[in-house]
Amino acid sequence: MTPLSLTLVIAVPVVAVVLVACLSPNARQRADAYRVFERMCSMVERITRSLLR
């Protein structure tokens, strides 16, 4: 299994769970999910920028 496919196998379910949690009626859970999603986006941005240099 290539590193990219392994990453996708791990990342896709995590992203799906976080996006579902963003729709939660529980405000605290929703806020936590938004924070996690923001961190994931930030990490992807940093990795992308480092690869494009």
Side-chain angles (χ1 to χ4, degrees), residues 22-42:
C22 287
L23 301 174
S24 171
N26 181 330
R28 177 174 268 165
Q29 184 180 15
R30 199 169 50 243
D32 289 342
Y34 281 124
R35 276 193 292 278
V36 169
F37 187 67
E38 180 182 8
R39 287 181 183 168
M40 287 187 328
C41 291
S42 174

Side-chain angles (χ1 to χ4, degrees), residues 1 3 12 15-16 25 33 42 47:
M1 191 176 268
V12 170
V15 170
S42 174
I47 291 169

Side-chain angles (χ1 to χ4, degrees), residues 5 9 40 43 46 50:
S5 59
V9 165
M40 287 187 328
M43 181 179 59
R46 283 195 313 263
S50 68

